[in-house]
Amino acid sequence: MSSISVPTPKCLQRPLNVPHRHMFGPGPSNVPPRILKAGANPIIGHMHPELFEIMSDIKSGIQYMFQTQNRMTLAVSGTGHCAMECAIFNAVEAGDRVLMAVNGIWGERAADMAERIGAQVNTIVAPPGGIFTSAEIEEALSRHRPVLFFITHGESSTGVLHPLDGIGQLCHKYNCLLLVDSVASIGGAPLHMDRQEIDILYTGSQKVLNAPPGTAPISFSERACQKIFNRKTKPVSFLLDLSWLANYWGCDDKPTRVYHHTAPVSALYSLRESLAVLVEEGLENCWERHAKVAEYFHTNLESMGLELFVQEKRARLPTVTTIVAPRGYDWKEITGYIMKNHNLEISGGLGPSAGVVLRVGLMGCNSSKANVDMVLAAIREALKYCHKNKM
């Protein structure tokens, strides 16, 4: 008589069947065959010298992408949320004062994470689609005197690209670290970590890089490391403890690396290949391509009579466009129609933009005028056939 009380699941006796879709939402984006192929390479050990060499290549690629010479540069095993927690959990201790710029969902998430570890959290809030002035930021820094200031460069929930010039200098004037979320912007819009005096910068693999979700590049300045490695208490997370990660990634100059966790080996292959693709195109060329495609998209949307959610042109994120949901239409019906009839994903809003906008992401290999034309045709058809309430 069998000791098995749970029967074999019928679903796992069928072959895996995953459809091909045009991933034109805010992420993840499509993964090109070259990067998929890289991820299919044979598994090697997470402590093998060959993997350490791949990790070293990844560090160099991240330094190029971030435009930094920071020694403390690596990729967290996890998505962008893991990198956000890595930054906050290492740089902030219970009782520390922090200041979070909230102009979308990611500032809200950062504040939540800091609150969970006992930080004193203050916020400055901009209306959805808006940005902060330097004067507003400096006033808040002067008033709250935080140890860390968080801001999102590419706010994918609202489609905002926030200017960064001068913010690092303001933070350092008040002895404060600058933490920047660039998950939706890196590679698609100009950013210079060292020149702009950013202390901690992170992103995700699944947006402009076109790698599968699951790795998150991050870098720490010497100023940030000074605070982190002089903490009074251990970081709340063992997995995200920078002292362990620094050793595993060869950032601490110690002669041997100690086992910390089993890295996602295949994901590292894919991340390395995605960085190689970026290097081949060239960072400035990639920025320029995204800017030109976004301008082409925005011009055509407005010629169709649609309204862009972000009013200030310079504050529009070139990777994720937010369109005011057409009046009289149910946005869910529009996105559902496009998915059903065009096998194409665009999404509704998130957080403060929920129910207000449609979001279209054209990132990395997806950023092309041909894909813009595809999206425009799908939206045009949806507006023709979806129900419009004339009330």
Side-chain angles (χ1 to χ4, degrees):
M1 186 175 182
S2 174
S3 64
I4 301 297
S5 60
V6 179
T8 55
K10 300 289 185 186
C11 60
L12 292 180
Q13 297 175 31
R14 299 190 299 269
L16 177 66
N17 182 25
V18 180
H20 179 272
R21 290 210 169 103
H22 302 291
M23 300 297 291
F24 298 162
S29 51
N30 290 106
V31 180
R34 172 179 167 179
I35 296 174
L36 287 173
K37 183 179 178 182
N41 272 295
I43 292 292
I44 57 176
H46 55 284
M47 299 295 288
H48 289 185
E50 295 87 353
L51 188 68
F52 292 160
E53 185 177 347
I54 290 168
M55 292 162 72
S56 179
D57 293 347
I58 289 169
K59 285 172 57 179
S60 295
I62 296 170
Q63 287 170 326
Y64 171 70
M65 177 174 65
F66 284 1
Q67 286 297 285
T68 183
Q69 296 185 38
N70 290 338
R71 182 171 54 93
M72 197 64 62
T73 300
L74 53 98
V76 177
S77 300
T79 60
H81 277 85
C82 275
M84 183 186 282
E85 289 201 328
C86 182
I88 293 170
F89 289 178
N90 281 284
V92 178
E93 295 189 72
D96 280 350
R97 287 192 301 274
V98 297
L99 178 64
M100 306 304 192
V102 178
N103 65 335
I105 195 171
W106 305 118
E108 294 173 358
R109 293 277 169 96
D112 188 333
M113 290 175 187
E115 285 174 355
R116 287 168 184 257
I117 62 171
Q120 298 179 42
V121 179
N122 294 289
T123 60
I124 51 174
V125 181
I131 60 175
F132 301 95
T133 65
S134 295
E136 288 171 333
I137 292 171
E138 180 164 18
E139 192 279 329
L141 290 170
S142 175
R143 179 156 40 97
H144 298 297
R145 301 286 170 158
V147 300
L148 178 140
F149 175 60
F150 170 93
I151 194 163
T152 307
H153 184 224
E155 179 48 81
S156 59
S157 69
T158 58
V160 167
L161 180 72
H162 202 288
L164 294 177
D165 286 346
I167 296 177
Q169 290 89 332
L170 282 177
C171 286
H172 299 150
K173 176 181 175 181
Y174 292 94
N175 197 28
C176 168
L177 298 176
L178 173 59
L179 166 58
V180 174
D181 177 315
S182 69
V183 172
S185 61
I186 202 73
L191 187 151
H192 301 267
M193 184 174 188
D194 289 354
R195 190 187 306 170
Q196 292 172 312
E197 297 189 26
I198 299 167
D199 292 298
I200 310 174
L201 178 66
Y202 66 86
T203 192
S205 58
Q206 75 277 16
K207 308 274 187 172
V208 172
L209 283 174
N210 297 136
T215 53
I218 191 168
S219 185
F220 300 82
S221 71
E222 283 300 318
R223 186 183 282 103
C225 290
Q226 281 292 318
K227 182 177 191 315
I228 290 166
F229 294 124
N230 287 284
R231 294 173 58 98
K232 299 182 182 70
T233 58
K234 290 182 179 181
V236 296
S237 169
F238 176 83
L239 178 64
L240 300 176
D241 187 329
L242 190 59
S243 62
W244 284 89
L245 291 173
N247 176 260
Y248 182 49
W249 278 85
C251 300
D252 62 0
D253 297 329
K254 291 183 179 177
T256 58
R257 304 193 196 193
V258 179
Y259 167 70
H260 173 234
H261 73 288
T262 303
V265 173
S266 296
L268 293 181
Y269 300 160
S270 299
L271 178 59
R272 184 202 181 280
E273 194 69 13
S274 69
L275 289 164
V277 171
L278 178 63
V279 166
E280 287 174 17
E281 181 177 10
L283 196 52
E284 289 176 310
N285 291 335
C286 197
W287 293 339
E288 184 180 4
R289 173 167 58 86
H290 282 82
K292 286 180 176 178
V293 170
E295 178 65 24
Y296 177 72
F297 187 31
H298 297 168
T299 300
N300 279 276
L301 286 169
E302 290 178 326
S303 71
M304 287 172 57
L306 296 172
E307 181 185 353
L308 294 169
F309 184 64
V310 180
Q311 297 299 308
E312 194 171 347
K313 192 172 181 179
R314 72 184 180 103
R316 290 174 183 166
L317 183 58
T319 52
V320 180
T321 296
T322 43
I323 308 163
V324 175
R327 188 174 180 179
Y329 290 91
D330 180 350
W331 70 266
K332 291 181 183 177
E333 187 181 1
I334 293 173
T335 59
Y337 179 92
I338 290 173
M339 176 68 82
K340 180 180 177 181
N341 293 279
H342 293 267
N343 201 29
L344 189 159
E345 181 195 45
I346 65 173
S347 76
L350 180 68
S353 69
V356 178
V357 302
L358 301 172
R359 293 185 297 157
V360 180
L362 296 170
M363 296 176 275
C365 66
N366 287 346
S367 180
S368 69
K369 289 186 177 181
N371 285 340
V372 168
D373 291 339
M374 191 189 309
V375 173
L376 292 169
I379 293 174
R380 196 176 288 114
E381 185 180 301
L383 296 179
K384 181 178 179 181
Y385 289 105
C386 289
H387 177 263
K388 182 176 183 182
N389 183 352
K390 295 179 181 173
M391 294 293 290

